[in-house]
Short mmCIF file of all heavy atoms in Angstrom, two decimals:
data_model
loop_
_atom_site.label_atom_id
_atom_site.label_comp_id
_atom_site.label_asym_id
_atom_site.label_seq_id
_atom_site.Cartn_x
_atom_site.Cartn_y
_atom_site.Cartn_z
N GLU A 1 0.85 -1.18 0.02
CA GLU A 1 0.00 0.00 0.01
C GLU A 1 0.89 1.25 0.01
O GLU A 1 1.82 1.35 0.77
CB GLU A 1 -0.88 0.03 1.22
CG GLU A 1 -2.12 -0.86 1.12
CD GLU A 1 -3.24 -0.20 0.39
OE1 GLU A 1 -3.02 0.89 -0.13
OE2 GLU A 1 -4.30 -0.79 0.28
N GLY A 2 0.54 2.17 -0.83
CA GLY A 2 1.22 3.49 -0.84
C GLY A 2 2.53 3.43 -1.60
O GLY A 2 2.91 2.38 -2.17
N PHE A 3 3.25 4.56 -1.57
CA PHE A 3 4.41 4.71 -2.39
C PHE A 3 5.55 5.40 -1.64
O PHE A 3 5.34 6.43 -1.03
CB PHE A 3 4.15 5.54 -3.70
CG PHE A 3 3.13 4.84 -4.53
CD1 PHE A 3 1.81 5.03 -4.35
CD2 PHE A 3 3.55 4.06 -5.64
CE1 PHE A 3 0.85 4.40 -5.22
CE2 PHE A 3 2.66 3.47 -6.43
CZ PHE A 3 1.31 3.62 -6.24
N GLY A 4 6.70 4.76 -1.70
CA GLY A 4 7.94 5.41 -1.19
C GLY A 4 8.89 5.74 -2.34
O GLY A 4 8.55 5.43 -3.49
N THR A 5 10.00 6.27 -2.02
CA THR A 5 10.93 6.69 -3.10
C THR A 5 11.45 5.51 -3.88
O THR A 5 11.68 5.64 -5.10
CB THR A 5 12.15 7.46 -2.46
OG1 THR A 5 12.68 6.65 -1.38
CG2 THR A 5 11.70 8.81 -1.96
N GLN A 6 11.63 4.33 -3.24
CA GLN A 6 12.08 3.14 -3.99
C GLN A 6 11.14 2.71 -5.08
O GLN A 6 11.50 2.43 -6.20
CB GLN A 6 12.38 2.01 -3.01
CG GLN A 6 13.59 2.22 -2.06
CD GLN A 6 13.75 1.06 -1.13
OE1 GLN A 6 13.12 0.03 -1.27
NE2 GLN A 6 14.61 1.24 -0.14
N ARG A 7 9.85 2.66 -4.67
CA ARG A 7 8.82 2.28 -5.63
C ARG A 7 8.71 3.27 -6.77
O ARG A 7 8.51 2.86 -7.94
CB ARG A 7 7.48 2.07 -4.91
CG ARG A 7 6.40 1.51 -5.80
CD ARG A 7 5.23 1.19 -4.97
NE ARG A 7 4.18 0.53 -5.74
CZ ARG A 7 2.99 0.10 -5.25
NH1 ARG A 7 2.79 0.21 -3.94
NH2 ARG A 7 2.08 -0.45 -5.98
N LEU A 8 8.72 4.53 -6.43
CA LEU A 8 8.62 5.58 -7.45
C LEU A 8 9.80 5.47 -8.44
O LEU A 8 9.65 5.62 -9.62
CB LEU A 8 8.63 6.89 -6.77
CG LEU A 8 8.16 8.12 -7.64
CD1 LEU A 8 6.79 7.88 -8.26
CD2 LEU A 8 8.14 9.39 -6.77
N GLU A 9 11.03 5.26 -7.89
CA GLU A 9 12.19 5.11 -8.77
C GLU A 9 12.02 3.94 -9.71
O GLU A 9 12.27 4.06 -10.94
CB GLU A 9 13.41 4.89 -7.91
CG GLU A 9 14.69 4.64 -8.71
CD GLU A 9 15.80 4.15 -7.83
OE1 GLU A 9 15.56 3.60 -6.76
OE2 GLU A 9 16.98 4.34 -8.26
N GLU A 10 11.53 2.83 -9.24
CA GLU A 10 11.40 1.61 -10.06
C GLU A 10 10.31 1.82 -11.11
O GLU A 10 10.48 1.45 -12.29
CB GLU A 10 11.04 0.40 -9.19
CG GLU A 10 10.95 -0.89 -9.98
CD GLU A 10 10.81 -2.10 -9.07
OE1 GLU A 10 11.74 -2.29 -8.27
OE2 GLU A 10 9.84 -2.78 -9.22
N ASP A 11 9.18 2.41 -10.78
CA ASP A 11 8.10 2.59 -11.74
C ASP A 11 8.53 3.58 -12.83
O ASP A 11 8.16 3.44 -13.97
CB ASP A 11 6.85 3.11 -10.99
CG ASP A 11 6.13 2.04 -10.24
OD1 ASP A 11 6.52 0.82 -10.38
OD2 ASP A 11 5.21 2.30 -9.46
N LEU A 12 9.26 4.64 -12.42
CA LEU A 12 9.73 5.60 -13.38
C LEU A 12 10.76 4.97 -14.38
O LEU A 12 10.73 5.25 -15.59
CB LEU A 12 10.37 6.78 -12.70
CG LEU A 12 9.50 7.77 -12.01
CD1 LEU A 12 10.19 8.68 -11.07
CD2 LEU A 12 8.73 8.61 -13.04
N ALA A 13 11.58 4.03 -13.88
CA ALA A 13 12.55 3.33 -14.71
C ALA A 13 11.82 2.50 -15.75
O ALA A 13 12.29 2.32 -16.87
CB ALA A 13 13.52 2.52 -13.88
N ALA A 14 10.72 1.90 -15.31
CA ALA A 14 9.92 1.05 -16.27
C ALA A 14 9.19 1.93 -17.26
O ALA A 14 9.03 1.56 -18.48
CB ALA A 14 8.98 0.17 -15.52
N HIS A 15 8.71 3.09 -16.84
CA HIS A 15 7.90 3.93 -17.71
C HIS A 15 8.81 4.73 -18.70
O HIS A 15 8.44 4.98 -19.83
CB HIS A 15 7.09 4.91 -16.94
CG HIS A 15 6.08 5.69 -17.73
ND1 HIS A 15 4.81 5.20 -17.98
CD2 HIS A 15 6.13 6.91 -18.32
CE1 HIS A 15 4.15 6.07 -18.69
NE2 HIS A 15 4.94 7.12 -18.83
N PHE A 16 10.00 5.13 -18.19
CA PHE A 16 10.96 5.87 -19.01
C PHE A 16 12.27 5.07 -19.09
O PHE A 16 13.23 5.37 -18.40
CB PHE A 16 11.23 7.27 -18.44
CG PHE A 16 10.00 8.13 -18.31
CD1 PHE A 16 9.41 8.33 -17.03
CD2 PHE A 16 9.43 8.73 -19.40
CE1 PHE A 16 8.30 9.12 -16.90
CE2 PHE A 16 8.29 9.54 -19.26
CZ PHE A 16 7.75 9.73 -18.00
N PRO A 17 12.29 4.08 -19.89
CA PRO A 17 13.45 3.11 -19.87
C PRO A 17 14.75 3.70 -20.28
O PRO A 17 15.81 3.20 -19.94
CB PRO A 17 12.98 2.01 -20.86
CG PRO A 17 11.93 2.62 -21.72
CD PRO A 17 11.28 3.60 -20.86
N THR A 18 14.75 4.83 -21.04
CA THR A 18 16.01 5.42 -21.48
C THR A 18 16.44 6.54 -20.54
O THR A 18 17.59 7.03 -20.66
CB THR A 18 15.81 5.98 -22.87
OG1 THR A 18 14.82 7.02 -22.85
CG2 THR A 18 15.46 4.90 -23.89
N ALA A 19 15.63 6.91 -19.55
CA ALA A 19 15.99 7.98 -18.66
C ALA A 19 16.99 7.51 -17.59
O ALA A 19 16.92 6.37 -17.14
CB ALA A 19 14.76 8.55 -17.93
N ARG A 20 17.95 8.38 -17.27
CA ARG A 20 18.92 8.09 -16.19
C ARG A 20 18.34 8.63 -14.87
O ARG A 20 18.21 9.84 -14.71
CB ARG A 20 20.23 8.72 -16.53
CG ARG A 20 20.86 8.21 -17.84
CD ARG A 20 21.97 9.13 -18.33
NE ARG A 20 21.53 10.46 -18.63
CZ ARG A 20 22.30 11.48 -18.92
NH1 ARG A 20 23.65 11.32 -18.91
NH2 ARG A 20 21.80 12.69 -19.17
N ILE A 21 18.02 7.74 -13.98
CA ILE A 21 17.27 8.08 -12.76
C ILE A 21 18.12 7.91 -11.51
O ILE A 21 18.83 6.88 -11.39
CB ILE A 21 16.03 7.27 -12.62
CG1 ILE A 21 15.13 7.45 -13.88
CG2 ILE A 21 15.26 7.58 -11.37
CD1 ILE A 21 13.95 6.57 -13.94
N MET A 22 18.12 8.85 -10.62
CA MET A 22 18.83 8.79 -9.34
C MET A 22 17.88 8.96 -8.22
O MET A 22 16.93 9.78 -8.30
CB MET A 22 19.90 9.88 -9.27
CG MET A 22 20.73 9.84 -7.98
SD MET A 22 21.60 11.45 -7.68
CE MET A 22 22.58 11.56 -9.14
N ARG A 23 18.04 8.17 -7.16
CA ARG A 23 17.26 8.34 -5.91
C ARG A 23 18.10 8.82 -4.84
O ARG A 23 19.19 8.30 -4.53
CB ARG A 23 16.62 6.94 -5.54
CG ARG A 23 15.93 6.95 -4.22
CD ARG A 23 15.13 5.67 -3.95
NE ARG A 23 15.96 4.51 -4.14
CZ ARG A 23 16.68 3.95 -3.13
NH1 ARG A 23 16.66 4.49 -1.93
NH2 ARG A 23 17.39 2.84 -3.35
N MET A 24 17.62 9.88 -4.09
CA MET A 24 18.41 10.47 -3.02
C MET A 24 17.52 10.50 -1.77
O MET A 24 16.56 11.25 -1.69
CB MET A 24 18.86 11.88 -3.36
CG MET A 24 19.80 12.51 -2.34
SD MET A 24 20.27 14.21 -2.73
CE MET A 24 21.18 13.95 -4.22
N ASP A 25 17.81 9.63 -0.84
CA ASP A 25 17.15 9.62 0.47
C ASP A 25 18.14 9.09 1.52
O ASP A 25 19.28 8.81 1.16
CB ASP A 25 15.88 8.76 0.42
CG ASP A 25 16.06 7.33 -0.09
OD1 ASP A 25 17.17 6.81 0.08
OD2 ASP A 25 15.16 6.75 -0.67
N SER A 26 17.72 8.88 2.73
CA SER A 26 18.69 8.45 3.78
C SER A 26 19.14 6.99 3.59
O SER A 26 20.05 6.55 4.20
CB SER A 26 18.04 8.57 5.14
OG SER A 26 16.81 7.93 5.24
N ASP A 27 18.43 6.21 2.73
CA ASP A 27 18.88 4.82 2.43
C ASP A 27 19.97 4.87 1.41
O ASP A 27 20.88 4.00 1.46
CB ASP A 27 17.67 4.04 1.91
CG ASP A 27 16.63 3.82 2.99
OD1 ASP A 27 17.01 3.55 4.16
OD2 ASP A 27 15.43 3.89 2.67
N SER A 28 19.92 5.74 0.42
CA SER A 28 20.89 5.73 -0.67
C SER A 28 22.08 6.60 -0.37
O SER A 28 23.06 6.61 -1.15
CB SER A 28 20.18 6.22 -1.98
OG SER A 28 19.79 7.61 -1.81
N THR A 29 22.11 7.32 0.69
CA THR A 29 23.26 8.26 1.02
C THR A 29 23.95 7.83 2.34
O THR A 29 24.53 8.64 3.02
CB THR A 29 22.78 9.68 1.19
OG1 THR A 29 21.72 9.75 2.17
CG2 THR A 29 22.22 10.20 -0.16
N THR A 30 23.91 6.51 2.63
CA THR A 30 24.53 6.06 3.87
C THR A 30 26.06 6.07 3.85
O THR A 30 26.74 6.23 4.85
CB THR A 30 24.01 4.63 4.26
OG1 THR A 30 24.25 3.80 3.09
CG2 THR A 30 22.55 4.66 4.55
N ARG A 31 26.60 5.84 2.67
CA ARG A 31 28.08 5.80 2.60
C ARG A 31 28.66 7.22 2.64
O ARG A 31 28.04 8.18 2.21
CB ARG A 31 28.51 5.18 1.24
CG ARG A 31 28.15 3.68 1.14
CD ARG A 31 28.75 3.12 -0.14
NE ARG A 31 28.45 1.67 -0.26
CZ ARG A 31 28.84 0.92 -1.33
NH1 ARG A 31 29.48 1.44 -2.32
NH2 ARG A 31 28.54 -0.38 -1.34
N ARG A 32 29.86 7.31 3.21
CA ARG A 32 30.48 8.61 3.39
C ARG A 32 30.72 9.24 2.05
O ARG A 32 31.27 8.61 1.10
CB ARG A 32 31.80 8.41 4.13
CG ARG A 32 32.60 9.76 4.30
CD ARG A 32 33.85 9.52 5.09
NE ARG A 32 33.53 9.20 6.49
CZ ARG A 32 34.50 9.08 7.42
NH1 ARG A 32 35.79 9.21 7.09
NH2 ARG A 32 34.18 8.77 8.67
N GLY A 33 30.36 10.51 1.88
CA GLY A 33 30.55 11.18 0.63
C GLY A 33 29.49 10.97 -0.41
O GLY A 33 29.56 11.58 -1.45
N ALA A 34 28.59 10.06 -0.18
CA ALA A 34 27.60 9.67 -1.21
C ALA A 34 26.71 10.87 -1.58
O ALA A 34 26.43 11.10 -2.78
CB ALA A 34 26.74 8.51 -0.74
N HIS A 35 26.31 11.62 -0.60
CA HIS A 35 25.38 12.74 -0.88
C HIS A 35 26.06 13.76 -1.80
O HIS A 35 25.50 14.21 -2.80
CB HIS A 35 24.93 13.44 0.41
CG HIS A 35 23.98 14.55 0.25
ND1 HIS A 35 24.43 15.87 0.06
CD2 HIS A 35 22.68 14.63 0.18
CE1 HIS A 35 23.37 16.66 -0.09
NE2 HIS A 35 22.32 15.92 -0.03
N GLY A 36 27.31 14.12 -1.49
CA GLY A 36 28.03 15.12 -2.29
C GLY A 36 28.26 14.63 -3.71
O GLY A 36 28.15 15.41 -4.68
N LYS A 37 28.61 13.33 -3.88
CA LYS A 37 28.81 12.77 -5.19
C LYS A 37 27.56 12.82 -5.99
O LYS A 37 27.53 13.10 -7.22
CB LYS A 37 29.34 11.37 -5.09
CG LYS A 37 30.74 11.24 -4.54
CD LYS A 37 31.20 9.82 -4.40
CE LYS A 37 32.58 9.73 -3.77
NZ LYS A 37 33.00 8.32 -3.53
N MET A 38 26.38 12.48 -5.40
CA MET A 38 25.15 12.52 -6.09
C MET A 38 24.77 13.93 -6.55
O MET A 38 24.32 14.12 -7.67
CB MET A 38 24.01 12.01 -5.16
CG MET A 38 24.04 10.50 -4.94
SD MET A 38 22.69 9.94 -3.91
CE MET A 38 22.89 8.19 -3.96
N VAL A 39 24.94 14.91 -5.68
CA VAL A 39 24.66 16.30 -6.02
C VAL A 39 25.51 16.75 -7.19
O VAL A 39 25.00 17.35 -8.13
CB VAL A 39 24.86 17.25 -4.79
CG1 VAL A 39 24.80 18.71 -5.21
CG2 VAL A 39 23.80 16.93 -3.69
N SER A 40 26.80 16.39 -7.14
CA SER A 40 27.70 16.83 -8.21
C SER A 40 27.33 16.15 -9.53
O SER A 40 27.36 16.79 -10.60
CB SER A 40 29.16 16.47 -7.85
OG SER A 40 29.54 17.17 -6.69
N ALA A 41 26.98 14.84 -9.48
CA ALA A 41 26.62 14.13 -10.70
C ALA A 41 25.34 14.68 -11.34
O ALA A 41 25.30 14.84 -12.58
CB ALA A 41 26.45 12.63 -10.35
N PHE A 42 24.36 14.97 -10.52
CA PHE A 42 23.13 15.54 -11.08
C PHE A 42 23.33 16.92 -11.62
O PHE A 42 22.79 17.28 -12.69
CB PHE A 42 22.03 15.53 -9.99
CG PHE A 42 20.61 15.81 -10.56
CD1 PHE A 42 20.00 14.81 -11.32
CD2 PHE A 42 20.02 16.99 -10.34
CE1 PHE A 42 18.72 15.04 -11.83
CE2 PHE A 42 18.71 17.21 -10.88
CZ PHE A 42 18.06 16.25 -11.60
N ALA A 43 24.14 17.74 -10.90
CA ALA A 43 24.44 19.07 -11.39
C ALA A 43 25.16 19.07 -12.69
O ALA A 43 25.04 19.96 -13.56
CB ALA A 43 25.24 19.87 -10.35
N ALA A 44 26.00 18.04 -12.92
CA ALA A 44 26.80 17.93 -14.11
C ALA A 44 25.97 17.32 -15.29
O ALA A 44 26.51 17.17 -16.41
CB ALA A 44 28.03 17.05 -13.83
N GLY A 45 24.71 16.95 -15.04
CA GLY A 45 23.88 16.47 -16.10
C GLY A 45 24.05 14.96 -16.37
O GLY A 45 23.63 14.48 -17.42
N GLU A 46 24.58 14.22 -15.44
CA GLU A 46 24.83 12.82 -15.61
C GLU A 46 23.53 12.02 -15.44
O GLU A 46 23.47 10.86 -15.77
CB GLU A 46 25.91 12.30 -14.69
CG GLU A 46 27.25 12.91 -14.92
CD GLU A 46 28.30 12.47 -13.93
OE1 GLU A 46 28.04 11.44 -13.23
OE2 GLU A 46 29.34 13.15 -13.82
N TYR A 47 22.53 12.66 -14.82
CA TYR A 47 21.24 12.00 -14.62
C TYR A 47 20.12 12.97 -15.10
O TYR A 47 20.32 14.21 -15.11
CB TYR A 47 20.98 11.69 -13.13
CG TYR A 47 21.93 10.60 -12.62
CD1 TYR A 47 23.17 10.93 -12.12
CD2 TYR A 47 21.52 9.25 -12.66
CE1 TYR A 47 24.00 9.93 -11.67
CE2 TYR A 47 22.37 8.31 -12.18
CZ TYR A 47 23.61 8.60 -11.71
OH TYR A 47 24.45 7.61 -11.23
#
């Protein structure tokens, strides 16, 4: 029931199969430096 970020990410990947999708939440940013790397990658247009 309902939708979290993981489900939304997966449904979007199925609906837009060629899109490069990134998920940013406390589950995906647990590793040291992960948040900064994600921000830089999205700002650079990699997603």
Side-chain angles (χ1 to χ4, degrees):
E1 281 279 4
F3 297 84
T5 50
Q6 291 179 10
R7 185 172 184 177
L8 194 56
E9 176 192 24
E10 182 172 302
D11 285 350
L12 286 165
H15 191 84
F16 301 105
T18 61
R20 299 166 297 173
I21 302 173
M22 181 198 303
R23 173 171 55 88
M24 187 183 295
D25 54 29
S26 56
D27 295 318
S28 64
T29 56
T30 53
R31 293 184 180 181
R32 178 177 292 183
H35 181 271
K37 291 178 181 177
M38 288 182 173
V39 170
S40 299
F42 192 72
E46 297 176 17
Y47 292 87

